[in-house]
Amino acid sequence: MSPIVDLIDVHKSYGMVEVLKGVTFSVNKGEVAAIIGQSGSGKSTALRCMDRLETIQGGTLEVCGHRLHTPNPDLKALRRDVGIVFQSYNLYPHLTVEENVTLALRLVRRLGKAEARERAADVLKKVGMLEKLTVYPEQLSGGQQQRVAIARGLAMEPELMLFDEVTSALDPQLTGEVLRVMEQLASEGMTMVLVTHEMSFARKVADKVIYMRNGRVHEMGTSEILRSPETKELGEFIAEATDA
Ligand code: ADP
Ligand code: MG
């Protein structure tokens, strides 16, 4: 079976600056991959390329069977298969929790009102936010908003979920709430790629850990590499991580 995510020698530049300098890794169905590394090492860029928010200049990149290195991949089909959640929650402030989740279901998936509401209730229950259906985002904590953002992604029933430092803006307690939701998703078999600073979380849930450094994969392996890193650089990175 071919991988859900497959990067081979991916190069990406912004102008003259090369940010991804030949990145190769793959993620199989049902796997959780954690991308870790210093700020500026290219983690977010790699993730954004997987949803084709950025185009690549070299190498090949396949996500859910879509060949993203080709000139005109079917972006609508890609976005149906891939959900992405960012550090900032990006909820619509003028819409209730329920409306935030049902909007894309109605507009993109063309679901009827009743069916969209039913699916919204399902995913909001999953993230523990069912009782906040009629509330507006500003009335929620950051952790609650982030769980709604995750529910919104899940509602589309993606094959792959991408998470970019979704807990970085949250205090420890709210971080825990969100990590528990992600851990549950992982245990249900969701294929996930997550950029994270949470080393203990990566150690617990990641099948594959990818340590990026200066636009390259510096070290990669099972979560065991977080316990016994091979390279001096990963060892130092782990030692500096606050929650190690
Ligand atoms: P990370 O997520 O690991 O912190 P990023 O992928 O965000 O790293 O950034 C990698 C490098 O690319 C950084 O040097 C950053 O300044 C640069 N970069 C990111 N986005 C852009 C952009 N839109 N235009 C120019 N440079 C960018
Ligand atoms: Mg980043």
Side-chain angles (χ1 to χ4, degrees):
M1 203 170 53
S2 49
I4 299 284
V5 177
D6 198 13
L7 291 81
I8 301 176
D9 196 26
V10 166
H11 289 258
K12 163 78 193 168
S13 302
Y14 292 110
M16 299 290 287
V17 183
E18 195 174 35
V19 174
L20 300 180
K21 303 170 183 170
V23 170
T24 300
F25 65 83
S26 61
V27 182
N28 292 318
K29 191 169 178 55
E31 271 188 335
V32 177
I35 305 179
I36 61 172
Q38 277 88 354
S39 174
S41 56
K43 307 181 298 295
S44 294
T45 302
L47 208 69
R48 290 169 61 81
C49 288
M50 289 175 214
D51 198 26
R52 218 181 194 259
L53 297 168
E54 306 288 351
T55 54
I56 65 172
Q57 278 98 36
T60 63
L61 171 54
E62 281 195 44
V63 176
C64 299
H66 306 286
R67 295 154 57 84
L68 303 186
H69 50 283
T70 58
N72 293 303
D74 184 346
L75 294 187
K76 250 186 164 165
L78 175 72
R79 304 273 153 73
R80 261 201 298 276
D81 292 337
V82 182
I84 187 162
V85 183
F86 300 98
Q87 179 179 335
S88 52
Y89 327 118
N90 296 318
L91 297 177
Y92 296 104
H94 59 292
L95 299 180
T96 65
V97 164
E98 183 179 47
E99 289 163 348
N100 263 284
V101 176
T102 54
L103 185 68
L105 292 174
R106 303 288 315 271
L107 296 182
V108 180
R109 286 293 164 97
R110 303 270 167 213
L111 292 190
K113 196 170 184 178
E115 206 183 337
R117 293 184 68 180
E118 204 173 304
R119 200 183 288 181
D122 281 348
V123 289
L124 286 166
K125 186 170 178 206
K126 201 188 249 302
V127 301
M129 291 297 292
L130 189 54
E131 74 278 17
K132 301 288 186 188
L133 272 180
T134 60
V135 159
Y136 288 88
E138 65 173 13
Q139 296 165 265
L140 301 174
S141 73
Q144 290 174 324
Q145 290 188 44
Q146 199 56 296
R147 286 187 282 150
V148 173
I150 293 172
R152 184 173 58 177
L154 292 177
M156 304 296 276
E157 300 183 327
E159 197 178 345
L160 168 71
M161 285 288 287
L162 307 174
F163 298 93
D164 193 356
E165 299 199 24
V166 296
T167 61
S168 294
L170 305 176
D171 66 37
Q173 189 204 334
L174 300 182
T175 293
E177 290 175 1
V178 174
L179 294 182
R180 271 193 295 282
V181 167
M182 292 167 69
E183 198 177 336
Q184 187 197 333
L185 285 181
S187 72
E188 290 170 0
M190 175 65 79
T191 311
M192 318 202 296
V193 181
L194 44 108
V195 174
T196 186
H197 285 306
E198 304 284 337
M199 290 302 131
S200 48
F201 181 69
R203 202 175 281 135
K204 190 154 68 165
V205 305
D207 300 296
K208 186 174 271 176
V209 174
I210 299 157
Y211 171 57
M212 286 189 65
R213 186 178 165 82
N214 298 329
R216 293 191 171 85
V217 175
H218 194 76
E219 186 168 344
M220 173 163 56
T222 66
S223 58
E224 191 53 34
I225 67 170
L226 296 175
R227 293 185 190 88
S228 39
E230 265 178 29
T231 63
K232 179 171 129 284
E233 291 79 13
L234 177 55
E236 286 169 1
F237 178 74
I238 295 166
E240 282 163 18
T242 46
D243 75 331

